[in-house]
Structure formats: C-alpha cells, structure tokens
Amino acid sequence: MATKTKPSLPKTSRGAALWAERSRIVSSGTAAYTDLVLERGLGAKVWDVDGKEYIDFAGGIGALNVGHCHPKVVAALREQAGKLLHTSFHVAAYENYLGVCRELIAVAPIPGEKKAILFNSGSEAIENAVKFARGFTKRRTVIAFDNAFHGRTLLCLALDGKHKPLRQGLGAMPPDVHHARYPYSYRPPMGVSPADLTAHCLESLENLFRVSAAAEDVAAIIVEPVQGEGGFIVPTAGFLKGLRSLCDKHGIVLIIDEVQTGFARTGKLFAIEHDGIAPDLLVTAKSLCGGMPLSGVVGRKDIMDSVATGAIGGTYGGNPMACAAALAVFDIVKNDGLVEKGKTVGETVKKRFDAFAAKYPFVGESRGLGAMRAIELVTDKKSKTPLPAAKVKAILHDCQDRGLIAIKAGVHDNVIRTLMPLVIKDDELERGLSALEGALDSVKL
Ligand SMILES: Cc1ncc(COP(=O)(O)O)c(C=O)c1O
C-alpha cells in the first residue's frame, strides 16, 4: 500500500524552525501527533505560526467542545485575571470554586446527597477518585479494563490497558491493579459471538474475582463509558449496567471516567446517561473548562467524606482562573445548546464515516457515540489486521497538508477519531471531512 508522505511544512518555514527547536530542547517523552506550531485559534479553526489555516478535529484531545477561545470563556478569564489569580483552596476559599462544585453536583447523574472537589488534570482526578474509593471501602484492589486509558501518572499508568509505550521500561507499577475484558465488538475474543460479548466480559470479571482479586478486597472498578484513547470503543448493551450490578452486589465503588466523553461530546452531558446507570464517583476534566486545566470528582457524599482531612488536594486544584472558565462553559452548555450540537455534529460525521466504511476496503469499521466518532483502519476487512501505524501516520500527515488536524487512537494506533469542537460550523465540518476523504482517496492498496 502506498500513501502520500510529503513533509507538511517547507523546511524554511518558521514552524519548521520552531519544531526543530522543540526536538532539541523538549523531552522526547511527550507524544507528537502533528509537527505543527500553532499561534491562534477560534471556534474549530486554528492558524499556525506561518499563517496557514486548519480545521481542528483534535480539539486539544477533546478539551475544547466549546471551541478555541470561546468569547464567553475569554471574557470570564479577562475579568477574573484582574481580581484573583490564586490563593490555594487549602488556604482560603473563593466563590467560583464553590460555583463549579455547585454546578457539578447539579448535573452529575448520581442520586442522593453529593459532594465535589477540583483538581488540575484528568490523571490527578482519577488518582484521587481511587483514593476516595479506598478510603471509603478500606479495601485496596482496583479493577480497570483492557484498552483503557486513565492518564500518565504512576497509578494511572498501572490502570491503563495498553502497555507500550505507556509503561514501557518504567519499572514496577503500583500493585493491586487488575485488568478485565472490555467488550470490543469489532475484535471479540476468538469464538465469542457479538451477542455473547456482554455476558462473556462480565463473566471474565467474575473469574477475576475467583482467581486473583477477591471481590471483598476490591475498592473500585474504574471504567470509561466509551473508551477514548483505546479507540472510541462503545461497550456492548448491558455491559455498564452489569458492572453496576456487580458493584452493588460486592460493595465496590463504581468510578466512571468521563474525562474524554463528558461535556456534550456524545450527545448527552455525560456519556453514562445513555446507559441510565448512576456512578458512585464521576471523574471529569478536559471540556469541563474550555481549554484551561481543571478536573473534578463528583460523587456520593458518604464516599467523598470518607478520607482524612488533608489527604486530598493540592496547591493549584480548582484555581480561580480555571473555575472562571468552567463557569463560562456551564453557561455555554445551558444557553448555547452544546448537548444538541453533540448530537447533530455526530449525525453528520456518522453518515460520512459509514460511507467511508462502505467505500474503502481498508476502513474496517465506523463507530462511535454522538460526536465521538472513529474509523478503524485495517489491511483488509476479512483478516482485520490493523493497518500499520506508519501508514496511519502518513494518512494523518496528508490530512495536515490538506488543512485538517486529525489524530489517531487505539491499542494498535490504527483508529482515526474525531474530537472537533462542537461549535464547528457546517461548512468547516464539510471541509474537514472532505480533507479526510481526500487523504483516504489517495491511499493505494
Ligand atoms: C478517559 C481519560 N481519562 C484520563 C485521562 C488523563 O487526563 P490528563 O491527560 O488530563 O491527565 C485522559 C486523557 O486523555 C482520558 O482520555
């Protein structure tokens, strides 16, 4: 198979010079989905330092559902910057931290009394959700899933369901973490029919209880309602409900990781609402804050109050600037129909991706929920052998040449996913999808 691989930037451009400097002075440990150096963004468009315009289907990896530099977010930040930048919530409270907690408590699909707390990153919130679960249950074991992604701090690395490159060469991981099977219907275990996949995965969990992680030692099961980095894998019907039942049966805390799925991406405010089950703890980050670093855990009051005062927190968690931006995001969600946009953008992308799956022999599957959509690329539909990562990279480079930023996902790095801002205009969405189609058209088998 031949794909276009011409370099994206002329070697003499300012972007190329800055990129070369990035390679020289920034640790090579951080991923590089593109070789772009950006200067500004607005809505679903960004411009690089050489003035070239791109449609952004990456949205800061799902952190920009409200778009780049949303005017309400920018205005809130400008106003807040003149008032208070930082106190540390440990030292003194401030009103917009309470405002964000109030909003999270109001919208979290969890019945009964709730409390919330704020952090900086998704990983930090995940780590603390596990601490709450351990504090509450006085148990130590945590169960995560194959293909899962929960972050890159040490405990999150242990939870991740992909070894390379995440844990590669990094030594011992925190103990008492086990992985169970997530229902990946495009790649079910050999001999398991799609109809049996939910039961098979729930039984694999029961087996784990019997073999290596006694249910009475399990503090938490942590799960993404749609796996993000794992390849936009939507679980089979009944799987999440089954997890809820198992947690109820064994007194296990169910942690739902909505870091990538949350804030309207799937056509609901939180993806778990599609399944109608209640988490014990819900973790949010990314699009909660329109581009600023903020995350949170919202959950049952009894769990959230179960750890010693001082055991949870950090200098910057729920910083006043980030809280100001998050309150603007809640305003946009309520008043600008963001959840509806998650549905309509998703419908448009789905139509095109379904057509790609019908048109190209190397598009194995079109899948997703709302505007969280993906295509999985294979060498051929029969073998489902993942298209080699280098080929996928070449397609994404071609997209970049055509003015589209698109990124990959998947345990085999063979999935192209869409996380465009939901405020994207119809003509921008069409331009982005056409650029992707052009790149797929130029793939030669
Ligand atoms: C589902 C999920 N959980 C947790 C994280 C970690 O978030 P962060 O990168 O902000 O630490 C991510 C990041 O992509 C994610 O997608």
Side-chain angles (χ1 to χ4, degrees), residues 16-301:
L18 288 168
W19 189 266
E21 186 178 25
R22 178 202 196 270
S23 308
R24 263 197 326 275
I25 67 173
V26 179
S27 161
S28 62
T30 184
Y33 285 129
T34 72
D35 57 3
L36 287 173
V37 183
L38 296 181
E39 193 161 74
R40 64 196 173 91
L42 191 63
K45 291 197 287 194
V46 291
W47 289 266
D48 71 14
V49 288
D50 296 298
K52 183 174 170 184
E53 179 181 296
Y54 298 85
I55 302 294
D56 183 9
F57 274 13
I61 322 189
L64 290 167
N65 290 355
V66 301
H68 290 271
C69 297
H70 191 290
K72 284 183 180 172
V73 173
V74 173
L77 286 169
R78 288 214 162 103
E79 196 191 332
Q80 184 61 40
K83 281 193 198 158
L84 187 69
L85 293 177
H86 179 65
T87 69
S88 183
F89 198 71
H90 294 286
V91 174
Y94 35 92
E95 201 168 341
N96 63 13
Y97 186 115
L98 304 182
V100 175
C101 290
R102 212 182 287 133
E103 294 283 0
L104 282 175
I105 287 167
V107 296
I110 302 172
E113 277 199 279
K114 286 170 264 182
K115 281 197 166 186
I117 187 166
L118 305 177
F119 304 101
N120 301 287
S121 68
S123 305
E124 194 187 355
I126 295 287
E127 295 243 353
N128 281 293
V130 171
K131 282 158 66 182
F132 282 123
R134 283 185 166 177
F136 179 70
T137 58
K138 307 283 181 265
R139 303 170 179 181
R140 46 194 294 168
T141 302
V142 184
I143 294 176
F145 291 90
D146 296 353
N147 317 317
F149 184 78
H150 298 292
R152 289 186 176 81
T153 54
L154 214 51
L155 175 62
C156 290
L157 278 186
L159 295 170
D160 293 340
K162 177 178 180 177
H163 185 75
K164 285 184 184 170
L166 298 169
R167 292 191 284 269
Q168 192 178 0
L170 298 185
M173 288 292 125
D176 303 309
V177 173
H178 296 261
H179 290 90
R181 202 158 256 170
Y182 195 87
Y184 186 178
S185 56
Y186 184 64
R187 298 186 183 280
M190 204 179 285
V192 178
S193 74
D196 293 335
L197 196 50
T198 294
H200 172 86
C201 291
L202 294 173
E203 167 50 29
S204 89
L205 198 44
E206 301 258 25
N207 192 52
L208 196 64
F209 292 157
R210 286 189 291 271
V211 173
S212 53
E216 61 271 24
D217 294 334
V218 178
I221 292 178
I222 179 163
V223 67
E224 296 157 89
V226 177
Q227 286 188 325
E229 302 299 307
F232 283 25
I233 303 168
V234 184
T236 43
F239 175 68
L240 295 168
K241 268 201 179 82
L243 292 186
R244 178 70 273 174
S245 304
L246 281 177
C247 287
D248 290 341
K249 182 171 159 196
H250 298 291
I252 297 168
V253 172
L254 181 61
I255 303 173
I256 299 292
D257 179 349
E258 293 263 7
V259 169
Q260 193 158 156
T261 48
F263 280 82
R265 171 57 49 189
T266 68
K268 301 262 187 198
L269 189 62
F270 294 112
I272 196 67
E273 293 169 39
H274 290 280
D275 292 81
I277 61 157
D280 296 312
L281 299 176
L282 182 149
V283 181
T284 178
K286 291 195 187 259
S287 278
L288 158 68
C289 204
M292 295 292 287
L294 185 73
S295 61
V297 178
V298 53
R300 276 171 41 190
K301 178 178 181 298

Side-chain angles (χ1 to χ4, degrees), residues 72 103 326-337:
K72 284 183 180 172
E103 294 283 0
L327 289 178
V329 168
F330 277 107
D331 173 359
I332 297 160
V333 166
K334 274 183 222 156
N335 297 312
D336 299 0

